[in-house]
Amino acid sequence: MRGVWIGQTLEGKTPAGVARMTRKLGKKVFAIAGRYDGNPQVRELFDGVYQLAHSGMSEKEQLKHAGALLRQKARDLAQEL
C-alpha cells in the first residue's frame, strides 16, 4: 500500500495537486500518511510528511486505531506550528 500512495501522489493525485496549488498560493502544506518511506520526491511536495505507523503496532492494530492515530498526529502537528 505504501508504494501505491507514493506513486499516486507523484502522478498528480489529490495530495500532490493540493500541495502544488497550496505552494502557488505561498502557503505551507503538510501530509499525514499511514506510512512514509522517506521518498525525496514526495518530501519536495510538502513542508512536512508525517506517518501514522508505529513500530510497536501491527498493521491490523494501526488500521483499527487509524482515527485516533490521525487525531493525535494532527494535534501534534498543530502544537508544532
Side-chain angles (χ1 to χ4, degrees):
M1 189 62 138
R2 174 181 57 203
V4 171
W5 185 86
I6 297 295
Q8 289 179 347
T9 296
L10 295 176
E11 291 170 8
K13 299 292 183 184
T14 302
V18 169
R20 288 184 182 107
M21 184 184 332
T22 302
R23 289 215 183 259
K24 285 182 183 178
L25 296 171
K27 304 295 181 182
K28 290 187 175 197
V29 62
F30 300 89
I32 299 175
R35 294 184 188 273
Y36 172 58
D37 66 0
N39 183 307
Q41 290 177 303
V42 171
R43 180 62 184 95
E44 288 175 10
L45 287 172
F46 301 97
D47 292 291
V49 181
Y50 302 87
Q51 74 172 11
L52 299 179
H54 287 267
S55 59
M57 294 176 82
S58 70
E59 185 174 344
K60 185 177 180 179
E61 287 178 292
Q62 290 176 36
L63 288 172
K64 182 179 177 181
H65 300 289
L69 292 169
L70 180 57
R71 284 187 295 276
Q72 183 59 53
K73 189 58 70 176
R75 277 192 294 271
D76 295 346
L77 177 57
Q79 288 177 350
E80 239 181 81
L81 297 175

